[in-house]
Coordinates of all heavy atoms in Angstrom, one line a residue:
I1 N -74.8 -13.8 54.4 CA -73.9 -13.4 55.4 C -73.1 -14.5 56.0 O -71.9 -14.4 56.2 CB -74.8 -12.7 56.5 CG1 -75.3 -11.3 56.1 CG2 -73.9 -12.4 57.8 CD1 -76.4 -10.7 57.0
A2 N -73.7 -15.7 56.2 CA -73.0 -16.8 56.6 C -71.9 -17.2 55.6 O -70.8 -17.6 55.9 CB -73.9 -18.0 56.9
Q3 N -72.3 -17.1 54.3 CA -71.3 -17.5 53.3 C -70.1 -16.5 53.2 O -68.9 -16.9 53.1 CB -71.9 -17.4 51.9 CG -72.9 -18.5 51.6 CD -72.2 -19.9 51.7 OE1 -71.9 -20.4 52.7 NE2 -72.0 -20.4 50.5
W4 N -70.4 -15.2 53.5 CA -69.3 -14.3 53.6 C -68.4 -14.6 54.7 O -67.1 -14.5 54.6 CB -69.9 -12.8 53.7 CG -68.8 -11.8 53.9 CD1 -68.0 -11.3 53.0 CD2 -68.5 -11.2 55.1 NE1 -67.2 -10.3 53.6 CE2 -67.5 -10.2 54.9 CE3 -69.0 -11.2 56.5 CZ2 -66.9 -9.4 55.9 CZ3 -68.5 -10.4 57.4 CH2 -67.5 -9.5 57.1
A5 N -68.9 -14.9 55.9 CA -68.2 -15.3 57.0 C -67.4 -16.6 56.8 O -66.2 -16.7 57.3 CB -69.1 -15.4 58.3
L6 N -68.0 -17.5 56.1 CA -67.3 -18.8 55.9 C -66.3 -18.8 54.7 O -65.5 -19.8 54.6 CB -68.3 -19.9 55.6 CG -69.2 -20.3 56.8 CD1 -70.4 -21.1 56.4 CD2 -68.3 -21.1 57.8
A7 N -66.4 -17.8 53.8 CA -65.6 -17.9 52.6 C -64.1 -18.1 52.8 O -63.5 -18.8 52.1 CB -65.9 -16.6 51.8
E8 N -63.6 -17.5 53.8 CA -62.1 -17.6 54.1 C -61.8 -18.6 55.2 O -60.7 -18.7 55.6 CB -61.6 -16.2 54.4 CG -61.8 -15.2 53.3 CD -61.1 -15.6 52.0 OE1 -60.0 -16.3 52.0 OE2 -61.7 -15.3 50.9
S9 N -62.8 -19.3 55.7 CA -62.6 -20.3 56.8 C -62.1 -21.6 56.2 O -62.1 -21.8 55.0 CB -63.8 -20.5 57.6 OG -64.7 -21.3 56.9
D10 N -61.8 -22.5 57.1 CA -61.4 -23.8 56.7 C -62.6 -24.8 56.6 O -62.5 -26.0 56.2 CB -60.5 -24.4 57.8 CG -59.1 -23.8 57.7 OD1 -58.7 -23.2 56.6 OD2 -58.4 -23.8 58.7
N11 N -63.8 -24.2 56.8 CA -65.0 -25.1 56.8 C -65.6 -25.1 55.4 O -66.8 -24.6 55.2 CB -66.0 -24.6 57.9 CG -67.1 -25.7 58.2 OD1 -67.2 -26.6 57.4 ND2 -67.6 -25.6 59.3
V12 N -64.9 -25.6 54.4 CA -65.4 -25.6 53.1 C -66.7 -26.4 52.9 O -67.6 -26.0 52.3 CB -64.3 -26.1 52.1 CG1 -64.8 -26.3 50.7 CG2 -63.1 -25.2 52.1
P13 N -66.9 -27.6 53.6 CA -68.1 -28.3 53.4 C -69.3 -27.5 53.8 O -70.4 -27.6 53.1 CB -67.9 -29.5 54.3 CG -66.4 -29.7 54.4 CD -65.8 -28.3 54.4
L14 N -69.2 -26.8 54.9 CA -70.4 -26.0 55.4 C -70.6 -24.8 54.3 O -71.8 -24.6 54.1 CB -70.2 -25.5 56.8 CG -71.3 -24.7 57.4 CD1 -72.6 -25.5 57.4 CD2 -71.0 -24.2 58.8
H15 N -69.6 -24.2 53.9 CA -69.7 -23.2 52.9 C -70.4 -23.7 51.6 O -71.4 -23.1 51.1 CB -68.4 -22.6 52.5 CG -68.4 -21.5 51.5 ND1 -68.7 -20.2 51.8 CD2 -68.1 -21.5 50.2 CE1 -68.6 -19.4 50.7 NE2 -68.3 -20.3 49.7
Q16 N -70.0 -24.9 51.2 CA -70.7 -25.5 50.0 C -72.1 -25.9 50.3 O -73.0 -25.7 49.4 CB -69.9 -26.8 49.6 CG -68.5 -26.4 49.1 CD -67.6 -27.7 48.9 OE1 -67.9 -28.7 49.6 NE2 -66.7 -27.7 48.0
S17 N -72.4 -26.4 51.5 CA -73.8 -26.8 51.8 C -74.7 -25.6 51.9 O -75.9 -25.7 51.4 CB -73.8 -27.6 53.1 OG -73.1 -28.8 53.0
I18 N -74.3 -24.6 52.5 CA -75.1 -23.4 52.6 C -75.3 -22.8 51.2 O -76.4 -22.3 50.8 CB -74.5 -22.3 53.6 CG1 -74.6 -22.9 55.0 CG2 -75.2 -21.0 53.5 CD1 -73.9 -22.0 56.0
G19 N -74.3 -22.8 50.3 CA -74.4 -22.3 49.0 C -75.5 -23.1 48.3 O -76.3 -22.5 47.5
M20 N -75.5 -24.4 48.4 CA -76.6 -25.2 47.7 C -77.9 -24.9 48.4 O -79.0 -24.9 47.7 CB -76.2 -26.7 47.8 CG -75.0 -27.1 47.0 SD -75.2 -26.7 45.2 CE -74.2 -25.1 45.1
A21 N -78.0 -24.6 49.6 CA -79.3 -24.3 50.3 C -79.7 -22.9 49.8 O -81.0 -22.8 49.5 CB -79.1 -24.2 51.8
I22 N -78.8 -22.0 49.5 CA -79.2 -20.7 48.9 C -79.8 -21.0 47.5 O -80.7 -20.3 47.1 CB -78.1 -19.7 48.9 CG1 -77.7 -19.3 50.4 CG2 -78.3 -18.5 48.0 CD1 -76.5 -18.5 50.5
L23 N -79.1 -21.9 46.7 CA -79.6 -22.2 45.4 C -81.1 -22.7 45.5 O -82.0 -22.3 44.7 CB -78.7 -23.1 44.7 CG -79.1 -23.6 43.3 CD1 -79.2 -22.4 42.3 CD2 -78.1 -24.7 42.7
A24 N -81.4 -23.6 46.4 CA -82.7 -24.2 46.6 C -83.6 -23.1 47.0 O -84.8 -23.0 46.5 CB -82.6 -25.3 47.6
L25 N -83.2 -22.2 47.9 CA -84.1 -21.1 48.3 C -84.4 -20.1 47.1 O -85.4 -19.6 47.0 CB -83.5 -20.3 49.4 CG -83.5 -20.9 50.8 CD1 -82.7 -20.1 51.8 CD2 -85.0 -20.9 51.3
A26 N -83.3 -20.0 46.3 CA -83.5 -19.1 45.1 C -84.6 -19.7 44.1 O -85.4 -18.9 43.6 CB -82.2 -18.9 44.3
V27 N -84.6 -21.0 44.0 CA -85.6 -21.6 43.1 C -87.0 -21.4 43.8 O -87.9 -21.0 43.1 CB -85.3 -23.2 43.0 CG1 -86.6 -23.9 42.4 CG2 -84.1 -23.4 42.2
V28 N -87.1 -21.7 45.1 CA -88.4 -21.4 45.7 C -88.8 -20.0 45.7 O -90.0 -19.7 45.4 CB -88.3 -21.9 47.2 CG1 -89.5 -21.5 48.0 CG2 -88.1 -23.4 47.3
R29 N -87.9 -19.1 45.9 CA -88.1 -17.7 45.9 C -88.6 -17.2 44.5 O -89.6 -16.5 44.4 CB -86.9 -16.9 46.3 CG -87.2 -15.5 46.6 CD -86.0 -14.8 47.2 NE -86.3 -13.4 47.2 CZ -85.5 -12.5 47.7 NH1 -84.3 -12.8 48.2 NH2 -85.9 -11.3 47.7
L30 N -88.0 -17.7 43.4 CA -88.4 -17.3 42.1 C -89.8 -17.9 41.8 O -90.7 -17.2 41.2 CB -87.4 -17.8 41.1 CG -87.7 -17.5 39.7 CD1 -87.8 -16.0 39.4 CD2 -86.7 -18.1 38.7

């Protein structure tokens, strides 16, 4: 949800950071 909200914003670094956090969570979740 945060990624969706940030996708069109100017806060690209936060979007990228949350994306990598989701990747880490996906590894843990799997």
Side-chain angles (χ1 to χ4, degrees):
I1 291 169
Q3 289 298 74
W4 175 74
L6 287 167
E8 300 301 323
S9 77
D10 290 333
N11 199 338
V12 174
L14 184 57
H15 181 78
Q16 293 170 333
S17 294
I18 292 173
M20 293 301 98
I22 290 172
L23 179 60
L25 283 171
V27 170
V28 171
R29 191 171 173 179
L30 181 60

